[in-house]
Amino acid sequence: MKNPILSSSNVSFVPDVWSAEWCEWTDINQIPNYEGCGIYRIRLVNSKGYPVKIPRFVDMDKDGILQICYSENIKRGIYRFLGATEGKKYTHAEGERWQLLKKYTNLEERYKDCKMQYSFKKQASGKEARIEQERFIKCYVKKYGEVPPNNNNFPDKHIEWENLSNSEPYE
């Protein structure tokens, strides 16, 4: 799928999405060394490292995507997410949400042999990272009918829904 090309009237795209520009999936406990801007996704995998299928409103998410985030510092973003999931007082909404789910639901029992992994994609600026995150979340919504389970809400600023094809970024 596509990298955003900003113009005064809209945002258009050039091909590629979940593949070439993304780093390898890495265990969430291994904090990256990259301190620049980018987007990152977190997925749930089983004990063998295969994505856990997550039932969504419209379709089954076979990639096990839990959230799609952006950060002006990927290293700090992953570190804060991980700390927040462990109950530390970091300002990371998705990490805090994960901690609440662990504390007040049967999440850990249901997924006891599972772990999280992350992958990130570098961006030139924080603005580009925010736009790219919005595009990925909107593509996810078009495919599955809702945002990833650990994201909070629909982004609605830079990317027009009509500009996204139904196959982006998954096919």
Side-chain angles (χ1 to χ4, degrees), residues 24-140:
E24 295 289 321
W25 286 105
T26 305
D27 187 280
I28 195 74
N29 294 312
Q30 297 177 12
I31 305 300
N33 288 327
Y34 178 67
E35 295 186 23
C37 299
I39 61 172
Y40 61 96
R41 56 202 171 148
I42 296 177
R43 73 177 182 178
L44 191 63
V45 297
N46 64 22
S47 60
K48 295 180 180 179
Y50 295 111
V52 172
K53 295 177 183 176
I54 300 175
R56 307 306 296 157
F57 189 63
V58 174
D59 199 0
M60 181 72 68
D61 177 0
K62 296 177 183 99
D63 295 318
I65 302 297
L66 295 173
Q67 68 191 53
I68 302 166
C69 295
Y70 82 92
S71 180
E72 299 211 9
N73 181 320
I74 292 292
K75 180 178 184 175
R76 185 175 51 229
I78 298 292
Y79 179 80
R80 286 185 175 169
F81 169 78
L82 185 58
T85 66
E86 296 168 350
K88 296 176 183 167
K89 299 294 179 195
Y90 294 127
T91 54
H92 196 291
E94 291 82 3
E96 291 168 1
R97 186 173 304 108
W98 191 259
Q99 173 62 17
L100 289 172
L101 290 172
K102 285 184 351 185
K103 189 173 182 178
Y104 296 110
T105 71
N106 70 343
L107 180 78
E108 287 191 303
E109 178 60 28
R110 179 172 176 139
Y111 298 105
K112 63 183 169 203
D113 294 328
C114 296
K115 62 182 179 178
M116 289 184 279
Q117 295 179 331
Y118 70 87
S119 178
F120 67 88
K121 180 179 176 184
K122 297 176 183 180
Q123 297 292 303
S125 69
K127 180 178 181 178
E128 285 185 28
R130 283 190 308 276
I131 290 170
E132 191 72 345
Q133 178 211 22
E134 179 179 338
R135 185 171 67 81
F136 273 84
I137 290 175
K138 285 183 175 179
C139 289
Y140 189 96

Side-chain angles (χ1 to χ4, degrees), residues 137-154:
I137 290 175
K138 285 183 175 179
C139 289
Y140 189 96
V141 169
K142 284 186 83 169
K143 181 161 179 75
Y144 299 113
E146 56 188 319
V147 296
N150 210 35
N151 278 96
N152 197 19
N153 45 27
F154 294 130

